[in-house]
Each structure stands twice: as structure tokens, then as C-alpha cells.
């Protein structure tokens, strides 16, 4: 709280007269101090109306000028020089020096005690402090009500009114969200953005432009999440004003958090709905209606599954998917099972979109993930889509591009290590004996078997592929059935032997 030197001079009850330094009448007085020390500079903090009778004023003009310059350098707002005791009038050399410095010198006549000056000015400062507290006590409830009734725009309006300043609200990218009055602060937006861009532990920053405009920027944050900044542009803010700005920033943070909290609750609801529809329970029509929201305009969905190596990493994958969905303006339909996360997306989304859902993770994290995406399916076929995405993810390489299930058709079984191991066992029991027979006798039983199987048991087609007569092929098949006790008339036997040949690379 301050009063101007001009205001002090205007108090007729004090009968003060301006003797020098008219250029400094707008200086602000924050305290009144009386001293007769010859060098009081080290005990001054600036903004004082210094009262003295000149009892220990230096004798020579250079020393008196140095004395006044010392007061000026210490930030003294004005000097009240009492006359009628040590000096009958203010010394002329002080007047000349004060005019040069622009430091107001007020003559305090003998009938006016210093105590009267102190009392009047300090009472005024106390009144201002009280007025500010009352103003804050009225403004804070208004701002609190504003967050409910009008949101961020109402808070900005109330803060601008309470501080008699222009207020600008920006998001974390520096985009202007609200202004009051309209267009207020537009001339210093670059300075505001510069202050807002300064990262660190300090939540508020203040700057004064060359034109004397004060800019106070307060970060709007909850925890480590920064939502934006609120800037107050105008006169220098007092302590109570800073309290109001802090209160407004807290309310704005809550207002920013509302959509995030609603979205988080919606995401949890969608996760539960996804779990239910995959459980095969009856009576889930309302839940299926919720899942319909995940579909695109064509009514189809895809499933994206991410296999992580640890549950904590899977949790970070789910968080990255939530952030991506919010940025894309979509609801999140995701479910985490231990170290696996499945996300339901639109049927028109492709593998590039699947990769983008985890793009927010560090590269070191993404290198540990395997991603698969299903073919498009109608919503009632969601379970099939999820299973396809899981198979595709299990076939993907860690850190590689997402694998589409469609690219696995014809090779899904061979993509699994357990399946390859089982087929290798079958091959050792069936194909290996034929390989040994061919080596020992110079025959082509293995090649003949594969041609016969790939022709699905059609003699003419298989014989043509081998370039032999069908009777020759029949003779070879008979030898195969004798070497490996089996009947190639059985379609299941033919299918198993073909997979064993493929797995063996024969």
C-alpha cells in the first residue's frame, strides 16, 4: 500500500510546502521515517518519506549534496525538512540538488509536529490495507461462485474487476482463451508468452515494460500438470492483489481439471463395458450400446493389442493411449490385463493409427512393445477382433511396426513358438524317415508328398506339377504310406503333414 508525495502535500492539516523536486511528486510513499543521522542510507529500504530537522546536516555544500544523493540512491520517496529549529528555512544548496535529482523536499513548519505527519500518512496506508482486505474478502467469493456459474470467462472477468487491470488467460501452448476487457493486454502478448515460457519451480513472474506497464503471470497447474497461465496487466499489484491472482489461478486449475476428471471417469466406464462384453454374459444390451460409441461411421471396429514385458510398462501404455484418445477427441475404450493392453478403435483406423496410440511413450519404451491390429469387424464381433489383435501382437517383433492380422492369414499357426514346436515333433516322426529313404535310395518321396498334399490329393494336378505319370505318383504315395504308417486318404492327416513340411521348410 502506498500514497503519492502529491497526496501528502495536499493534506492541508499538515501545512506542508513544496520547496524542491516538483518532478517527483508522483513518487510513492510506503512508510514515514524520522532520523537525524548524518548517513542513514544503510538503514533505508526505499519508499520512505524521511523527516529530519537537519540537526546533523553536513556543513559544506558538497557534503550536503552527497547527503541528498545518498537518500536518492537509497530510494527515498521524499524528504520532509522541519524548519524553525536547526534551520529557519530549507538550505538553498539542498533545494538546488533536490531539483536536479527530482527528489521532492517538503518544508514542515514548526507548528506541525513530525508525529502528525507520521500518524496521518500511516493511518491512510492502514485504511488502504483494510480496504484491500475487504475488497479481497468480497472478490474471492465472487470468483468462487463464478467458476460454477460461468467458468473460466467469469473468473477472468471477476479478477480484472477486483484488480482494476486487464486479465488474459492462455492455455499451455500460449493460445489466448479469454480476455477481459475484450482485447485487454493484447499489446503485450509477446511479453506475456515470454514470461509464461520460462520453466522452473517459480509459479509466478512479474515484469515491467519500458512504458511502465506491470505484467504479472501466474502458472495454472495441479501437481506437475500445467494447464496454462493467467496474466494481469496494469498497475503494479499489491500483496492482496497477488493473493487474488493466486486464488483465481487455483479456481482456473479446477476448471481446467473438470473435463479431464469427467474423461477419466468415462474411460473407466468404457473399460468396464469392454470387460463385460468380452465375458459372454447375458443381458448386456445396454453395455453393447456403450461399445457402439467406439465404432466409426460404417459401424465397424478394430482391436489393437499391445504386449508389454511388464505390468508397469503396460500401465504406461494405457496412459499413453488415454492421452492420445483425448487429443483426438475420442472416448477411450481400453482394457489392461497384466502386461497386455487392448484398445478398441474405429474400423477405418489402420496400422499407422495403431502406432500413433503409443507415440507419446519414450523410444526406449516403444522398443519393448509388440503391437497387433485386427481386421475390421462389426461391433457384435468384437471378441473375434480382440482375439485377432492378440494373435497379431504375439507374431510382431518388439519395437517393430504393428502387425495386421490380415497379413498373417495362412501363417497364423506357424507364428507361434508352441505350434512350431509341436509341428517339429510331427516332422521328426513322419518327414524325417522319408528324407532318410530318399537319401539312401535316390528317390523323391518328400517332394512327391508335398506336391500331392498341396494339390489336395488330386492325382493329375500333383503328377503334372512333378512332371511324372500319375501311376508313378501312385507308386510313390504307396511307398510313403508304407514308410510312414498312415493313410493319405484322411484329410486331417494330409493337413497335419503339410503343416509339418511347411514348418520344416522342406
Amino acid at each position: 500500500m502506498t500514497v503519492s508525495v502529491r497526496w501528502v502535500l495536499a493534506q492541508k492539516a499538515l501545512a506542508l510546502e513544496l520547496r524542491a523536486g516538483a518532478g517527483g511528486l508522483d513518487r510513492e510513499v510506503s512508510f514515514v521515517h524520522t532520523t537525524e543521522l548524518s548517513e542513514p542510507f544503510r538503514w533505508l529500504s526505499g519508499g520512505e518519506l524521511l523527516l529530519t530537522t537537519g540537526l546533523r546536516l553536513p556543513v559544506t555544500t558538497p557534503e550536503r549534496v552527497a547527503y541528498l544523493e545518498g537518500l536518492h540512491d537509497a530510494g527515498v520517496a521524499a524528504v520532509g525538512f522541519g524548519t524553525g529549529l536547526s534551520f529557519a528555512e530549507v538550505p538553498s544548496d539542498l533545494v538546488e540538488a533536490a531539483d536536479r535529482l527530482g527528489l521532492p523536499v517538503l518544508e514542515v513548519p514548526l507548528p506541525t509536529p513530525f508525529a502528525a505527519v507520521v500518524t496521518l500518512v500511516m493511518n491512510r496506508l492502514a485504511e488502504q490495507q483494510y480496504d484491500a482486505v475487504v475488497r479481497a474478502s468480497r472478490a474471492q467469493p465472487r470468483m468462487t461462485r463464478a467458476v460454477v456459474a460461468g467458468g473460466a470467462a467469469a473468473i477472468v472477468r471477476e479478477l480484472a474487476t477486483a484488480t482494476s487491470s486487464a486479465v488474459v488467460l492462455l492455455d499451455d501452448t500460449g493460445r489466448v482463451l479469454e480476455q477481459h476487457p475484450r482485447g485487454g493486454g493484447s499489446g503485450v502478448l509477446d511479453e506475456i508468452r515470454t514470461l509464461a515460457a520460462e520453466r522452473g519451480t517459480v509459479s509466478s513472474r512479474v515484469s515491467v515494460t519500458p512504458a511502465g506497464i506491470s505484467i504479472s503471470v501466474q502458472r495454472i497447474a495441479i501437481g506437475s500438470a500445467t494447464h496454462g497461465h493467467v496474466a494481469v496487466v496494469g498497475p503494479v499489484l499489491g500483496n492482496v492483489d497477488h493473493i487474488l491472482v493466486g486464488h483465481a489461478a487455483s479456481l482456473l486449475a479446477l476448471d481446467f481439471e473438470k473435463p479431464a476428471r469427467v474423461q477419466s471417469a468415462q474411460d473407466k466406464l468404457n473399460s468396464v463395458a469392454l470387460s463385460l462384453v468380452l465375458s459372454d454374459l447375458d443381458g448386456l444390451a445396454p453395455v453393447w450400446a456403450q461399445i457402439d460409441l467406439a465404432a466409426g461411421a460404417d459401424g465397424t471396429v478394430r482391436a489393437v493389442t499391445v504386449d508389454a514385458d511388464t505390468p508397469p510398462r503396460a500401465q504406461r501404455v494405457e496412459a499413453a493411449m488415454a492421452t492420445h484418445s483425448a487429443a483426438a477427441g475420442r472416448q477411450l475404450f481400453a482394457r489392461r490385463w497384466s502386461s497386455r493392453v487392448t484398445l478398441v478403435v474405429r474400423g477405418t483406423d489402420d496400422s499407422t493409427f495403431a502406432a500413433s496410440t503409443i507415440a507419446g511413450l519414450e523410444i526406449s519404451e516403444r522398443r519393448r512393445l509388440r503391437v497387433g491390429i485386427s481386421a475390421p469387424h462389426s461391433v457384435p464381433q468384437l471378441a473375434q477382433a480382440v482375439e485377432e489383435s492378440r494373435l497379431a501382437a504375439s507374431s510382431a517383433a518388439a519395437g517393430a511396426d504393428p502387425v495386421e492380422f490380415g497379413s498373417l492369414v495362412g501363417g497364423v499357426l506357424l507364428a507361434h513358438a508352441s505350434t512350431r514346436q509341436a509341428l517339429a515333433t510331427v516332422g521328426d516322426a513322419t518327414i524325417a524317415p522319408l528324407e532318410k529313404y530318399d537319401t539312401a535310395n535316390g528317390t523323391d518321396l518328400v517332394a512327391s508328398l508335398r506336391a500331392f498334399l498341396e494339390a489336395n490329393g488330386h492325382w493329375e494336378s500333383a503328377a503334372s506339377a512333378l512332371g511324372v505319370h500319375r501311376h508313378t505318383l501312385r507308386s510313390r504315395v504307396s511307398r510313403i504310406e508304407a514308410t510312414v504308417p498312415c493313410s493319405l486318404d484322411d484329410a486331417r492327416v494330409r493337413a497335419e503333414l503339410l503343416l509339418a513340411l511347411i514348418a520344416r521348410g522342406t
Side-chain angles (χ1 to χ4, degrees):
M1 301 295 108
T2 62
V3 295
S4 67
V5 176
R6 190 186 305 277
W7 181 90
V8 176
L9 188 61
Q11 304 311 302
K12 298 187 179 299
L14 299 178
L16 306 181
E17 295 289 340
L18 177 66
R19 294 304 181 202
L25 288 180
D26 291 324
R27 291 191 180 197
E28 297 294 321
V29 175
S30 58
F31 190 72
V32 183
H33 186 56
T34 300
T35 181
E36 298 298 345
L37 295 176
S38 59
E39 295 183 351
F41 323 118
R42 57 186 293 190
W43 291 282
L44 301 174
S45 57
E48 294 92 350
L49 169 57
L50 189 71
L51 302 178
T52 180
T53 63
L55 182 64
R56 295 189 179 180
L57 190 69
V59 176
T60 66
T61 294
E63 289 176 326
R64 289 179 177 179
V65 171
Y67 169 78
L68 208 61
E69 289 177 342
L71 296 180
H72 175 71
D73 292 341
V76 167
V79 175
F81 198 94
T83 57
L85 293 175
S86 303
F87 292 87
E89 59 183 17
V90 179
S92 59
D93 45 11
L94 284 184
V95 171
E96 292 177 4
D99 279 331
R100 178 173 55 81
L101 295 172
L103 177 63
V105 173
L106 312 180
E107 181 180 348
V108 184
L110 184 60
T112 302
F114 282 179
V117 179
V118 173
T119 300
L120 192 147
V121 174
M122 297 309 292
N123 282 347
R124 177 56 184 159
L125 295 177
E127 289 173 0
Q128 288 183 335
Q129 184 70 32
Y130 177 77
D131 290 342
V133 172
V134 171
R135 176 166 51 86
S137 68
R138 292 173 178 170
Q140 284 181 319
R142 286 199 302 269
M143 282 192 283
T144 304
R145 289 192 296 270
V147 73
V148 176
I155 298 172
V156 167
R157 183 177 63 253
E158 290 295 341
L159 179 61
T161 301
T163 58
S164 300
S165 305
V167 176
V168 182
L169 175 64
L170 302 91
D171 65 13
D172 197 34
T173 67
R175 180 170 61 96
V176 175
L177 300 178
E178 301 289 348
Q179 287 175 285
H180 190 84
R182 184 180 298 275
S186 296
V188 291
L189 280 179
D190 288 341
E191 290 87 344
I192 291 173
R193 291 187 175 112
T194 298
L195 290 173
E198 295 179 9
R199 301 296 183 182
T201 57
V202 179
S203 61
S204 63
R205 291 177 172 82
V206 178
S207 176
V208 179
T209 68
I213 300 173
S214 172
I215 304 172
S216 178
V217 178
Q218 175 80 34
R219 184 163 59 98
I220 302 169
I222 290 183
S224 59
T226 297
H227 294 293
H229 294 82
V230 59
V232 180
V233 181
V236 175
L237 299 181
N239 293 334
V240 173
D241 292 319
H242 282 294
I243 292 174
L244 290 175
V245 174
H247 182 63
S250 298
L251 294 174
L252 288 167
L254 292 175
D255 192 64
F256 273 109
E257 280 285 307
K258 283 192 297 186
R261 291 179 184 276
V262 171
Q263 186 62 56
S264 177
Q266 183 66 61
D267 291 346
K268 290 178 181 178
L269 174 63
N270 293 341
S271 177
V272 171
L274 181 57
S275 299
L276 288 173
V277 298
L278 294 176
S279 66
D280 292 329
L281 295 175
D282 295 327
L284 296 179
V287 181
W288 279 108
Q290 183 68 25
I291 299 298
D292 282 337
L293 298 175
D298 61 354
T300 62
V301 294
R302 280 186 167 190
V304 176
T305 290
V306 178
D307 280 342
D309 54 349
T310 64
R313 184 166 284 114
Q315 189 173 6
R316 291 192 288 275
V317 167
E318 187 178 23
M321 287 176 169
T323 300
H324 179 272
S325 295
R330 297 189 184 186
Q331 291 189 32
L332 178 72
F333 290 83
R335 186 74 171 89
R336 177 164 47 90
W337 292 270
S338 185
S339 58
R340 173 187 295 160
V341 182
T342 295
L343 173 70
V344 181
V345 298
R346 297 170 184 171
T348 53
D349 293 329
D350 56 13
S351 58
T352 301
F353 183 86
S356 70
T357 63
I358 56 172
L361 294 170
E362 297 289 338
I363 294 178
S364 59
E365 293 264 52
R366 299 200 301 270
R367 287 174 178 167
R368 310 294 289 272
L369 306 176
R370 293 177 295 155
V371 186
I373 181 171
S374 74
H377 289 278
S378 64
V379 172
Q381 294 177 310
L382 178 60
Q384 182 178 342
V386 171
E387 184 59 28
E388 287 181 4
S389 70
R390 290 177 177 177
L391 286 171
S394 66
S395 303
D401 292 335
V403 170
E404 294 203 41
F405 178 78
S407 66
L408 297 178
V409 174
V412 175
L413 292 176
L414 298 176
H416 294 273
S418 59
T419 304
R420 290 196 300 271
Q421 184 177 358
L423 290 174
T425 301
V426 173
D428 289 341
T430 57
I431 309 303
L434 297 178
E435 291 173 339
K436 290 180 181 180
Y437 188 93
D438 282 342
T439 301
N441 298 283
T443 55
D444 291 316
L445 296 185
V446 174
S448 299
L449 174 62
R450 179 152 191 165
F452 180 71
L453 295 175
E454 289 182 341
N456 197 25
H458 191 274
W459 295 103
E460 292 291 346
S461 298
S464 177
L466 289 169
V468 300
H469 195 275
R470 66 179 180 277
H471 294 309
T472 301
L473 179 59
R474 287 181 182 276
S475 176
R476 291 179 181 179
V477 169
S478 296
R479 173 57 60 187
I480 291 170
E481 291 177 328
T483 305
V484 182
C486 67
S487 174
L488 293 181
D489 292 335
D490 190 328
R492 289 175 296 181
V493 172
R494 291 199 303 272
E496 193 169 88
L497 288 175
L498 180 59
L499 287 173
L501 283 167
I502 295 172
R504 200 173 181 82
T506 304

